[in-house]
Amino acid sequence: MPRSPKLSEAAMLAAERRIPELAAKSGRAAYKLALATTGAVVVKTSKGILVERKADGTSTVIKALRPDKRVKLGLVLKRAKQEVAA
């Protein structure tokens, strides 16, 4: 199997800068594919509402979600230990 040529530092940085753009394109493509394949997609809106979007453009509200809990940057969460009843 032939090896790919090594990337220069500049080429690697240029490729890394495209990651957010490629991720956004992939997300949109997956959404469109799911919509085309199944006819409907369930999504959470930015306003905290769970909706079903259909291929014909209509939306049905499934339920309103609880507001997100904001956390401080860098906060480390630890799992609480559960006591096992014997």
Side-chain angles (χ1 to χ4, degrees):
M1 178 179 247
R3 296 182 91 184
S4 341
K6 289 187 177 182
L7 290 176
S8 68
E9 186 67 21
M12 192 178 317
L13 291 172
E16 287 175 351
R17 279 193 297 271
R18 294 195 59 217
I19 290 174
E21 171 196 345
L22 295 173
K25 273 185 170 177
S26 297
R28 283 190 298 273
Y31 175 82
K32 287 179 181 178
L33 179 63
L35 193 57
T37 305
T38 64
V41 177
V42 175
V43 295
K44 177 187 171 226
T45 69
S46 61
K47 296 184 181 179
I49 300 171
L50 197 62
V51 298
E52 178 185 52
R53 297 226 170 107
K54 296 186 179 170
D56 64 7
T58 60
S59 294
T60 306
V61 174
I62 297 172
K63 75 185 241 185
L65 303 173
R66 289 183 288 145
D68 291 336
K69 183 176 182 179
R70 302 270 180 203
V71 294
K72 292 181 182 178
L73 183 63
L75 177 68
V76 177
L77 301 174
K78 294 184 181 179
R79 186 179 301 260
K81 292 184 180 181
Q82 294 179 340
E83 293 184 28
V84 179

